[in-house]
């Protein structure tokens, strides 16, 4: 598998393109290839970004529901709201508020405080957002069957260490928070950045250890030659899902995921109660918008990782897979299953945020080092012993 | 195309390494190191050592360097006060060292497609790392582990002197 020259031939659409291709000369084929790669990447980015945008609305609506309020339901775009049923639906569900928020990020004055380190201050939001979008390219959003009846994932890139890729690139996202905190040259952002770095170090270890037991589980199967591939892990869950066979690992991964994505109750980097707004206190307008989208994008990618590792990937129920005989309907259903699961995970993230109070910083560190890491290690060793017997 | 990417990663690795020496401020130096590490990881991936490359990003860029930055921020970022000529002298020293290595081992400095193809079959499969770590290199790995453990215990012993009281334990 040639991972570096990313293999996009596993896309269903390309099957149609390949039939057109032979008529083209080589240069045309090359251009088509590059164009397709760009288009697939764009589709992937659009999926992640629209989920991020929708989860902003969901956050406001769900929190309103939890607190017994209505949430955003008045913002209306003049002409669109006049459309009979759709207009009212969009207005009542706060979807027009999303547009208003986005416009606000774009159109407000972009402040550049005099005391900041300008280079890193400008670059930090990009450092927060771009790793998320890069990591999204390996997520298998669904499956399809090639003409030979071989199952293949609907991912922009599918290669044999894709899980490692997602974890590695996802881990780089923290530099956005760190550099934002440092370059702001102000004490609360500084503390926020420092907390972000300490938290990521503490929880990444537990996360990696919990993933190991799943990889081991997939790897012990003789038919699998690359257990670090997200596609193989998803495929291995055609029977029981790994959240059932590996409950401890799933729990540890989930908790570490909350810590990695900086969500409450691990909201240390921007804990509003003690740090004003944490690492992005000095940011405004579109730069803040990038952090905002980056956080939700991180949630989307993190949820997809969790779904692929533990929640059965594109399979609808434990022990049931979409049958190959249904053809493209089956692959559409697999895609839909994955997206519904992402939505459910996002709801879970929001639910937890508005239910649990924030931990204290020392509590976060204590849980990380004295509970999560030993537990993950024990779980891994126990499973290792179990496998070798 | 592949050559272009190769040179781009090389430039990243070299300029990042140069940056570590030349820039002012420790955080800037750490970020240069990040660029350099990403460049090296890219080179590994270009040699089809995917496992090693992504592990490099995950462990070094994703964890070790974050730790560096954390420590730098904890003790306070100060600008590097050493004079420019010292840095340049250091740089020239490194270049000379590289030249000496390249002179005595011309193979090390040479990039060629054949060498890549040779390495590919071994490096591209993650299983091979496991086999070689637990067979051929068992003893070195164990010794390195024991050394690291000893170093860690030493650091704990040194840093936890009873005379120094830790104030403001929970200010972070």
């Amino acid at each position: 598998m040639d991972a570096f020259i990313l293999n996009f031939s596993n896309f269903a659409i390309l099957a149609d393109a390949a039939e057109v291709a032979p008529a083209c000369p080589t240069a045309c084929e090359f251009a088509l290839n590059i164009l397709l790669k760009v288009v697939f990447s764009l589709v992937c980015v659009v999926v992640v970004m629209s989920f991020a945008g929708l989860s902003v609305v969901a956050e406001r609506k769900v929190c309103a529901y939890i607190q017994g309020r209505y949430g955003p339901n008045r913002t209306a775009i003049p002409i669109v709201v006049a459309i009979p049923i759709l207009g009212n639906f969009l207005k009542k569900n706060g979807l027009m508020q999303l547009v208003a928020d986005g416009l606000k990020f774009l159109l407000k004055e972009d402040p550049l405080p005099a005391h900041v380190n300008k280079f890193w201050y400008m670059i930090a939001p990009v450092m927060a957002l771009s790793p998320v979008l890069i990591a999204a390219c390996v997520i298998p959003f669904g499956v399809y069957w090639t003409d030979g009846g071989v199952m293949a994932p609907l991912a922009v890139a599918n290669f044999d260490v894709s899980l490692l890729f997602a974890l590695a690139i996802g881990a780089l996202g923290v530099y956005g928070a760190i550099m934002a905190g440092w370059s702001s040259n102000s004490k609360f952002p500084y503390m926020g950045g420092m907390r972000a770095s300490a938290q990521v170090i503490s929880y990444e270890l537990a996360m990696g250890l919990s993933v190991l037991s799943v990889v081991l589980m997939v790897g012990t199967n003789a038919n699998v030659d690359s257990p670090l591939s997200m596609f193989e892990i998803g495929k291995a869950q055609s029977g029981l899902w790994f959240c059932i066979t590996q409950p401890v690992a799933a729990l540890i991964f989930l908790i570490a995921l909350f810590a990695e994505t900086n969500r409450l109750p691990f909201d240390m980097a921007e804990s509003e109660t003690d740090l004003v707004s944490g690492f992005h206190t000095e940011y405004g307008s579109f730069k803040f918008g990038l952090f905002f989208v980056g956080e939700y994008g991180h949630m989307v990618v993190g949820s997809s990782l969790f779904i692929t590792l533990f929640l059965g990937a594109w399979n609808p129920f434990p022990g049931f897979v979409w049958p190959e005989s249904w053809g493209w309907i089956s692959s559409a259903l697999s895609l839909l299953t994955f997206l519904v699961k992402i939505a459910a995970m996002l709801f879970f993230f929001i639910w937890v945020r508005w239910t649990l109070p924030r931990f204290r910083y020392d509590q976060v560190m204590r849980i990380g080092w004295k509970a999560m890491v030993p537990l993950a290690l024990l779980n891994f060793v126990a499973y290792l012993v179990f496998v070798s017997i | 195309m592949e050559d272009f990417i190769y040179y781009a990663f090389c430039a990243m690795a070299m300029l990042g390494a140069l940056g570590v020496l030349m820039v002012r401020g420790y955080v800037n130096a750490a970020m240069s190191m990040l660029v350099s590490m990403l460049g090296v990881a890219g080179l590994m991936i270009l040699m089809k050592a995917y496992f090693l490359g992504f592990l490099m990003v995950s462990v070094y860029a994703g964890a070790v360097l974050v730790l560096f930055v954390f420590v730098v921020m904890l003790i306070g970022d100060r600008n590097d006060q050493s004079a420019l000529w010292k840095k340049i002298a250091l740089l020239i020293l490194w270049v000379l060292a590289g030249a000496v290595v390249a002179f005595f081992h011309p193979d090390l400095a040479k990039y060629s497609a054949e060498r890549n193809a040779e390495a590919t079959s071994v490096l591209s499969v993650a299983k091979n790392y496991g086999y070689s770590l637990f067979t051929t290199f068992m003893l070195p790995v164990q010794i390195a582990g024991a050394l690291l453990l000893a170093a860690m215990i030493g650091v704990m012993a040194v840093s936890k002197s009873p005379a120094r009281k830790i104030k403001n334990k929970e200010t972070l």
Side-chain angles (χ1 to χ4, degrees):
Chain A
M1 173 58 239
D2 195 1
F4 187 71
I5 312 299
L6 296 175
N7 190 352
F8 295 88
S9 59
N10 41 39
F11 248 84
I13 310 163
L14 196 62
D16 303 331
E19 286 160 17
V20 185
C24 280
T26 334
C28 173
E29 208 173 308
F30 184 69
L32 185 73
N33 244 349
I34 291 199
L35 189 71
L36 276 173
K37 283 172 197 179
V38 172
V39 168
F40 293 150
S41 315
L42 274 180
V43 168
C44 192
V45 166
V46 165
V47 167
V48 173
M49 292 295 254
S50 51
F51 259 97
L54 286 175
S55 61
V56 175
V57 177
E59 176 103 52
R60 298 186 65 171
K61 275 303 205 188
V62 172
C63 96
Y65 175 70
I66 287 173
Q67 295 169 345
R69 301 185 279 116
Y70 286 117
N73 64 350
R74 304 189 181 198
T75 314
I77 301 167
I79 301 164
V80 184
V81 80
I83 301 170
I85 299 161
L86 183 74
N88 201 31
F89 174 80
L90 291 180
K91 185 178 146 192
K92 286 288 177 219
N93 287 302
L95 286 164
M96 292 191 184
Q97 181 69 42
L98 175 67
V99 180
D101 283 347
L103 280 177
K104 194 180 77 174
F105 283 143
L106 273 173
L107 299 178
K108 269 199 169 181
E109 185 196 349
D110 195 5
L112 184 62
H115 55 81
V116 299
N117 181 330
K118 294 207 174 45
F119 179 72
W120 289 115
Y121 181 83
M122 304 281 263
I123 266 187
V126 183
M127 287 169 86
L129 179 61
S130 52
V132 169
L133 298 180
I134 297 173
C137 80
V138 292
I139 294 164
F141 284 103
V143 286
Y144 73 98
W145 287 267
T146 55
D147 293 336
V150 182
M151 196 197 249
L154 280 170
V156 177
N158 169 40
F159 49 95
D160 56 359
V161 287
S162 54
L163 177 64
L164 207 57
F165 175 85
L167 289 176
I169 302 294
L172 294 182
V174 70
Y175 283 110
I178 296 175
M179 292 320 286
W182 178 76
S183 68
S184 292
N185 194 14
S186 152
K187 61 187 160 203
F188 290 132
Y190 193 86
M191 282 180 181
M194 224 152 85
R195 285 179 176 188
S197 57
Q199 187 174 315
V200 160
I201 298 164
S202 317
Y203 282 84
E204 201 155 75
L205 213 57
M207 195 181 218
L209 283 171
S210 69
V211 167
L212 270 186
S213 52
V214 170
V215 171
L216 191 69
M217 194 160 194
V218 178
T220 43
N221 188 342
N223 304 327
V224 179
D225 48 338
S226 54
L228 280 169
S229 145
M230 288 176 76
F231 174 56
E232 296 285 352
I233 291 171
K235 217 163 67 171
Q237 295 179 72
S238 52
L240 281 181
W241 294 357
F242 289 152
C243 63
I244 301 167
T245 47
Q246 292 276 359
V248 182
L251 187 69
I252 290 167
F253 189 89
L254 189 64
I255 294 172
L257 192 63
F258 272 86
E260 292 264 314
T261 50
N262 270 327
R263 289 291 293 183
L264 242 74
F266 294 96
D267 194 8
M268 284 302 109
E270 56 160 305
S271 64
E272 290 91 347
T273 40
D274 46 343
L275 294 188
V276 187
S277 178
F279 63 92
H280 53 57
T281 306
E282 303 282 340
Y283 282 85
S285 173
F286 198 59
K287 294 201 201 71
F288 170 73
L290 285 183
F291 277 122
F292 201 59
V293 175
E295 187 191 323
Y296 284 94
H298 209 143
M299 271 163 66
V300 173
V301 172
S303 310
S304 325
L305 264 177
F306 185 71
I307 290 163
T308 317
L309 283 170
F310 294 105
L311 287 186
W314 51 83
N315 302 319
F317 312 105
F320 178 78
V321 291
W322 297 115
E324 189 194 336
S325 51
W326 293 3
W328 66 270
I329 298 173
S330 197
S331 68
L333 282 173
S334 73
L335 179 65
L336 194 69
T337 315
F338 201 92
L339 295 185
V340 167
K341 278 180 184 173
I342 292 181
M345 276 298 292
L346 288 174
F347 175 77
F348 181 70
F349 267 102
I350 295 165
W351 187 16
V352 167
R353 170 171 179 177
W354 296 101
T355 308
L356 295 179
R358 180 184 285 121
F359 286 123
R360 258 190 355 248
Y361 179 74
D362 61 314
Q363 288 173 326
V364 169
M365 288 295 117
R366 204 170 62 224
I367 295 170
W369 289 106
K370 292 191 176 168
M372 302 279 287
V373 173
L375 193 64
L377 207 56
L378 262 180
N379 177 51
F380 179 58
V381 171
Y383 186 66
L384 211 60
V385 171
F386 171 74
V387 165
S388 52
I389 291 175
Chain B
M1 185 71 183
E2 200 166 323
D3 273 353
F4 172 74
I5 296 168
Y6 168 76
Y7 286 117
F9 280 135
C10 275
M12 262 175 86
M14 298 291 283
L15 290 178
L18 195 67
V20 175
L21 283 176
M22 303 303 279
V23 294
R24 297 176 139 262
Y26 295 139
V27 173
N28 287 332
M31 287 297 119
S32 304
M33 203 163 162
L34 175 67
V35 171
S36 178
M37 279 170 176
L38 290 181
V40 172
L43 286 177
M44 285 174 178
I45 293 162
L46 209 58
M47 286 185 74
K48 303 202 163 56
Y50 309 121
F51 184 71
L52 212 56
F54 292 131
L55 215 58
M56 171 106 183
V57 176
S58 179
V59 172
Y60 283 94
V64 172
L65 207 62
V66 175
L67 198 64
F68 280 9
V69 178
F70 174 71
V71 170
V72 166
M73 284 173 88
L74 193 66
I75 61 174
D77 183 26
R78 273 159 292 186
N79 276 341
D80 192 357
Q81 295 298 325
S82 52
L84 190 66
W85 68 267
K86 276 187 190 167
K87 289 181 178 176
I88 292 175
L90 197 63
L91 194 68
I92 292 172
L93 209 65
W94 276 109
V95 171
L96 279 180
V100 168
V101 170
F103 182 75
F104 287 109
H105 293 278
D107 283 0
L108 279 181
K110 209 164 66 186
Y111 165 74
S112 68
E114 294 88 60
R115 280 169 61 83
N116 271 358
E118 205 175 282
T120 301
S121 56
V122 187
L123 291 177
S124 61
V125 186
K127 246 178 201 167
N128 291 345
Y129 294 98
Y131 280 130
S132 48
L133 277 184
F134 281 95
T135 53
T136 322
F137 300 107
M138 187 67 182
L139 189 64
V141 168
Q142 295 298 330
I143 290 173
L147 270 177
L148 283 175
L149 186 67
M152 198 168 74
I153 292 170
V155 166
M156 278 174 176
V158 168
S159 63
K160 215 174 182 179
S161 63
R164 257 180 58 211
K165 263 188 190 163
I166 300 167
K167 281 180 196 166
N168 303 331
K169 220 185 198 167
E170 288 169 7
T171 42
L172 271 185

